[in-house]
Amino acid sequence: MTFIALLAPTARAMGWRSGLLTALAGVVIVGIPALSSVELQSDDLASMLRVIAVTGALSVGFLLHDPASAISSVSPLSRLDRQLARVFWISAAALPWWALVLLLAKSSAAPGAEQALPLGGLTGEAVAIFSVALAMAAGAQRFGFENHMGLLVALTLLLLTGGSFLLAENSAVLVPPSDPRFEDMRVWWYLLSVAAALAFLILSRERAPRRAVERWTRQAGARGSA
């Protein structure tokens, strides 16, 4: 089976309920001010978009969970290929959802606030948040917490982002767009995205079989003694 052929059965096997719930929650959050004709400033819109990004990322662990992973080990495709197929569908669903969220956010912006709203920078933050969630899910799966990875990733993400929001006034991580440090922090978010993506790729690879590791160790020891 090729990677392309894996996409359709992967989409059918994914638990989309959690993703739909978090996506709906995000649309509701951004839709309330849009429907009530409330006009928000750029800093308020940025905070709202950050909350929505975290809300959407809460479902990543559930969507990445593969209930058939125990029997999928005999598949000709690696675990990394199977995970990438799920990431493909997560990305395909997240992109139009985020575009809709941005559109609704712009509709509730106060005069002049839309121009001051850095959509590119906030999108970069959302990508970083989703990437971190993917890396945590891959780590949970690799270290034997796959049966609880969805809940574990969601709780960990809530703790991390909740602490960041509480410390936002004294921290340079979540700064408002009006803060001069905002542009400098964009580089930090991009680096975080790259680091999380690399962590996901590494953690999604199967571990080498124990016998193969022992054989390699013995051979390395024999070469060293020779």
Side-chain angles (χ1 to χ4, degrees), residues 135-150:
M136 289 193 297
Q141 185 181 50
R142 185 176 182 86
F143 296 111
F145 298 98
E146 183 169 3
N147 291 335
H148 308 286
M149 60 186 286

Side-chain angles (χ1 to χ4, degrees), residues 78-115:
S78 66
R79 183 172 71 182
L80 177 58
D81 290 328
R82 299 192 300 271
Q83 294 289 64
L84 288 176
R86 290 176 176 267
V87 172
F88 172 85
W89 289 117
I90 293 173
S91 303
L95 287 175
W97 169 75
W98 184 249
L100 175 62
V101 167
L102 293 181
L103 182 64
L104 292 174
K106 290 170 61 177
S107 67
S108 59
E114 181 179 345
Q115 290 73 20

Side-chain angles (χ1 to χ4, degrees), residues 26 29-30 40 42-56 97-106 108 117-123 125-126 129-130 165 177:
I29 293 173
V30 72
L40 300 176
S42 60
D43 289 355
D44 299 323
L45 289 170
S47 298
M48 182 178 66
L49 288 174
R50 285 165 171 162
V51 170
I52 293 171
V54 173
T55 302
W97 169 75
W98 184 249
L100 175 62
V101 167
L102 293 181
L103 182 64
L104 292 174
K106 290 170 61 177
S108 59
L117 187 64
L119 298 181
L122 293 170
T123 298
E125 293 184 13
I129 292 171
F130 271 77
F165 276 110

